[in-house]
Amino acid sequence: MTEKEAKKELMRRALEIGPTVHVGKDGLKDSLYEEITAQLKKNRLIKVKVLTDDGTSEIAEAIAEATNAIVVDVRGNVVILTDKRTWTSLSQKKF
């Protein structure tokens, strides 16, 4: 499976889940990074709703770098994240 197909599969799975983490006006804090890491470990795919006007793609990259995650997609104020283990297993999967 190519990376494009892996992204498509993760986007399909993300349709069924709602945002589980909200980034508020306070911005990014260590407790938020810990919560995202814990949820990624448990669920492998999460949505993060950004409630600030600071730029969603910059926030997504900061979260991914701090939590060792992969940004699957950014649409509007919603960021879809997955862990590296899920991303590599889908990208290397062969049918």
Side-chain angles (χ1 to χ4, degrees):
M1 185 179 281
T2 64
E3 287 188 8
K4 184 177 179 181
E5 292 170 335
K7 180 179 177 180
K8 196 173 186 181
E9 172 64 21
L10 289 171
M11 289 298 297
R12 186 189 61 77
R13 292 180 188 180
L15 287 174
E16 301 170 0
I17 61 174
T20 55
V21 179
H22 296 275
V23 178
K25 294 178 183 177
D26 295 338
L28 302 171
K29 295 186 175 184
D30 289 337
S31 59
L32 185 71
Y33 292 136
E34 291 170 6
E35 178 65 25
I36 291 171
T37 304
Q39 287 200 17
L40 279 172
K41 188 174 183 181
K42 180 180 176 186
N43 299 327
R44 297 179 141 197
L45 181 70
I46 64 168
K47 282 186 182 178
V48 178
K49 178 88 173 185
V50 179
L51 304 173
T52 64
D53 298 330
D54 295 342
T56 308
S57 49
E58 290 85 11
I59 290 175
E61 290 301 321
I63 291 172
E65 186 177 321
T67 60
N68 201 19
I70 304 287
V71 177
V72 177
D73 196 25
V74 177
R75 293 198 181 180
N77 289 339
V78 177
V79 179
I80 300 172
L81 296 169
T82 189
D83 60 343
K84 287 190 176 183
R85 179 179 55 174
T86 303
W87 179 258
T88 55
S89 68
L90 276 176
S91 296
Q92 295 174 356
K93 195 173 194 177
K94 296 181 182 177
F95 291 99

